[in-house]
Amino acid sequence: MTANTFTRRDFLKTLGCTAAAVAWAGSRGLAQSSQRPRERPNIVLILADDLGYGDPTCYQGQSKIPTPRMDRLAGEGIRFTDAHTPSAVCTPTRYGLMTGRYCWRSSLKRGVLNGYSDPLIERDRLTVASLLKRHGYHTGCVGKWHLGLGWVTTDGGTGAKAGNVEWSRPVTGGPPAAGFDYSYIIPASLDMDPYCWLENGRTVEPATAQTPGSKRRWDGGGGFWRAGPMAPSFDFYQVLPTVTTKAVDFVKRQRADRPFFLYVPLTAPHTPWMPTDEFRGKTQVDWYGDFVAQVDWAVGQIVQAVDDAGGRDNTLVIFTSDNGSHWPVAQIQQFGHRANGPWRGQKSDIHDAGHRVPFICRWPGKIKAGTQSDQTICLTDVLATCAAVVGDTLPADAGQDSYSILPALLNPSLDQPIRAAIEHHSGNGLFAIRQGPWKLILGLGSGGFTAPAQVKPKPGGPQGQLYNLQDDPGEQKNLWAEQPEIVARLTTLLERYQQQGYSRPMER
């Protein structure tokens, strides 16, 4: 069966639960038809880097890190408890967030890019920024890009690396090519060279100096970063404050008669943990906790800038994280802080701690304050949601893995599922699928940072993992051998999603 002959009836039959699927389809219809606002709201999307589900106190009351600004944002809007990133590591999540597609559909099947990689987002691929730009939005990106830039090399060829970048030439990809009118970014994670800023595709200061790097990690004191080229004035401690200032400045520059979209992919609390003196020692979780506290401050500064500019009632603010926290068992034991809340694993893992993240939205007058949604959603859903907010629908060749969550934003008690299912992907390429309470993992081990990453199945033993998250949210009891029918059904569903190239009927 080809993608062209895969019909809605086939999809429902594959699900094996027609009633639930019909309810889901009804919610899709609501998403596309119910919201046609005359005024286009501003949209501010703040993406933390490696912030765990259990870090904000509004998600875990036992958190040892004060997060009053995140908590206030949740109190003024809606908090999702079952939100997931499309991958348990950052580059694939950023691709999915921008394009509404799982990254394993792209050229990157596992892992992440580096600071010299070519652009990952395909040319002419619809993004959140290019979609909103079509609707008259002024678009901006401030922070960590990590989706490839397309550096020009000194010999005019390809294959950029440390030592052959022509710093004076504009990059060929990056935010400008993805639909952003303005951008002020670092190329990749804060622990990846080259260490420099780019404004609108050009380096602000060439990376003509060198850093020997730092091997320290868990004890802070300078954190961890790789050796490589660095701009002479680049200051690791000032990166998060600079991102915050530039984001606030972007908000201040906006005209009252034109909506704007601001994407702020923060550089923290990813390593290196570099809290400024103002935040050092403010928490019970040492360098990491202090850096999370500074992230909370940054969120507060950006949201306050929106409010001060008079945009509070006409701005949809979305705050989330690109994956779970890199917080292994040793750190939980040392600090008594569960950065990923009650979920199993950590960043990069296929288990829920790797990809279940905070997801908070505020839109006064549209989203009821102090509400909560248990809908299962994914960061790929941002594209379709933004389309629904501005009264548009996505073209058939865009956002194949994006579902509008607007119905849940407007009605927190919505009991129709937004999604029929959701796929998960670990840092090492292990797949999982979630439908209702059932989670199927096609392999043994974590698939990520937690040992063992891979486990060879024993003869006659389980070939993978199956958990009922309603009864076993900690993913402790593997039901693979006990529920062969569910294993078979979910395996077939996941394989069909992969083979057909989309995970929903093309009913636009």
Side-chain angles (χ1 to χ4, degrees):
M1 184 179 295
T2 65
N4 291 332
T5 60
F6 182 47
T7 65
R8 176 178 174 81
R9 180 176 296 176
D10 294 319
F11 180 83
L12 298 180
K13 182 178 180 181
T14 301
L15 289 179
C17 51
T18 303
V22 170
W24 160 80
S27 73
R28 263 191 56 75
L30 176 63
Q32 293 188 5
S33 63
S34 66
Q35 181 70 5
R36 295 290 189 268
R38 296 179 180 177
E39 295 184 6
R40 298 157 295 171
N42 307 314
I43 301 175
V44 176
L45 172 57
I46 306 173
L47 182 70
D49 195 1
D50 288 11
L51 182 79
Y53 183 99
D55 284 328
T57 53
C58 58
Y59 275 88
Q60 179 179 229
Q62 296 77 33
S63 174
K64 292 191 174 182
I65 305 172
T67 55
R69 290 91 174 176
M70 298 178 199
D71 300 345
R72 182 168 63 246
L73 192 67
E76 295 173 344
I78 188 170
R79 178 175 64 94
F80 284 79
T81 63
D82 202 2
H84 299 262
T85 58
S87 173
V89 289
C90 61
T91 295
T93 286
R94 291 157 200 274
Y95 176 88
L97 177 65
M98 282 289 102
T99 68
R101 302 174 78 235
Y102 291 119
C103 191
W104 44 264
R105 302 196 194 283
S106 77
S107 60
L108 184 67
K109 306 305 180 186
R110 65 179 64 190
V112 301
L113 300 183
N114 62 47
Y116 303 98
S117 297
D118 288 332
L120 180 61
I121 298 177
E122 301 86 352
R123 187 176 296 275
D124 298 327
R125 173 73 60 194
L126 185 70
T127 68
V128 177
S130 61
L131 166 77
L132 293 174
K133 192 171 181 177
R134 294 178 183 180
H135 287 269
Y137 279 69
H138 184 59
T139 57
C141 172
V142 179
K144 164 187 167 178
W145 183 241
H146 211 173
L147 283 167
L149 290 171
W151 295 101
V152 175
T153 61
T154 52
D155 60 4
T158 59
K161 57 185 178 182
N164 76 343
V165 172
E166 180 59 71
W167 302 112
S168 64
R169 299 283 299 277
V171 296
T172 60
F180 288 99
D181 298 309
Y182 175 79
S183 58
Y184 198 94
I185 62 164
I186 63 171
S189 295
L190 191 52
D191 59 7
M192 291 182 174
D193 61 302
Y195 304 104
C196 60
W197 293 99
L198 293 92
E199 186 170 27
N200 297 330
R202 289 183 176 272
T203 52
V204 175
E205 181 183 29
T208 54
Q210 288 282 324
T211 172
S214 170
K215 301 298 184 183
R216 305 179 70 173
R217 182 178 177 84
W218 302 113
D219 59 350
F224 164 83
W225 65 87
R226 295 163 179 84
M230 181 175 71
S233 65
F234 191 88
D235 184 344
F236 287 94
Y237 282 98
Q238 289 304 311
V239 170
L240 183 55
T242 299
V243 169
T244 306
T245 297
K246 292 293 183 179
V248 168
D249 288 346
F250 179 87
V251 173
K252 291 179 177 179
R253 292 197 303 269
Q254 299 312 301
R255 300 191 330 230
D257 62 344
R258 178 180 62 181
F260 68 86
F261 167 58
L262 174 60
Y263 170 48
V264 190
L266 300 174
T267 56
H270 192 291
T271 54
W273 298 330
M274 308 291 281
T276 57
D277 291 342
E278 179 183 357
F279 296 93
R280 187 69 187 105
K282 295 296 185 181
T283 74
Q284 303 177 53
V285 197
D286 208 9
W287 294 86
Y288 174 79
D290 297 349
F291 213 19
V292 171
Q294 190 167 354
V295 168
D296 182 72
W297 165 84
V299 171
Q301 291 292 302
I302 297 167
V303 174
Q304 189 63 51
V306 171
D307 294 354
D308 290 346
R312 175 186 174 87
D313 293 336
N314 194 40
T315 301
L316 169 60
V317 177
I318 304 172
F319 172 73
T320 185
S321 180
D322 66 343
N323 45 246
S325 174
H326 190 179
W327 197 250
V329 173
Q331 266 50 58
I332 296 176
Q333 295 173 343
Q334 179 180 353
F335 296 104
H337 173 69
R338 303 187 66 92
N340 292 306
W343 314 115
R344 178 179 176 182
Q346 60 174 316
K347 172 184 176 177
S348 187
D349 292 354
I350 197 64
H351 300 294
D352 262 33
H355 47 78
R356 191 184 291 231
V357 293
F359 194 96
I360 300 169
C361 300
R362 189 194 77 168
W363 190 5
K366 302 294 191 301
I367 296 175
K368 186 177 180 180
T371 53
Q372 173 181 307
S373 173
D374 299 327
Q375 287 276 350
T376 304
I377 65 170
C378 183
L379 266 61
T380 56
D381 297 337
V382 169
L383 179 65
T385 302
C386 288
V389 165
V390 297
D392 199 358
T393 56
L394 299 178
D397 62 348
Q400 292 92 329
D401 303 300
S402 191
Y403 300 74
S404 173
I405 67 169
L406 185 58
L409 295 179
L410 303 180
N411 179 15
S413 61
L414 180 73
D415 57 3
Q416 296 175 334
I418 296 293
R419 283 175 157 268
I422 186 172
E423 293 99 295
H424 304 308
H425 198 233
S426 77
N428 292 337
L430 187 61
F431 280 96
I433 185 168
R434 163 90 179 280
Q435 187 180 62
W438 293 105
K439 178 178 178 180
L440 176 78
I441 302 172
L442 294 184
L444 301 174
S446 74
F449 291 159
T450 300
Q454 295 180 327
V455 175
K456 186 177 180 180
K458 296 179 180 179
Q463 302 296 299
Q465 303 169 67
L466 177 70
Y467 301 104
N468 185 318
L469 296 187
Q470 180 174 320
D471 300 332
D472 179 25
E475 299 176 73
Q476 297 299 310
K477 185 178 181 180
N478 186 359
L479 301 175
W480 179 285
E482 299 176 27
Q483 299 287 347
E485 292 183 359
I486 294 176
V487 169
R489 175 170 62 81
L490 292 181
T491 299
T492 298
L493 183 60
L494 178 56
E495 290 175 349
R496 174 155 293 179
Y497 282 174
Q498 295 169 329
Q499 293 167 4
Q500 299 301 332
Y502 51 82
S503 57
R504 62 182 177 190
M506 304 299 283
E507 56 180 25
R508 305 198 186 114

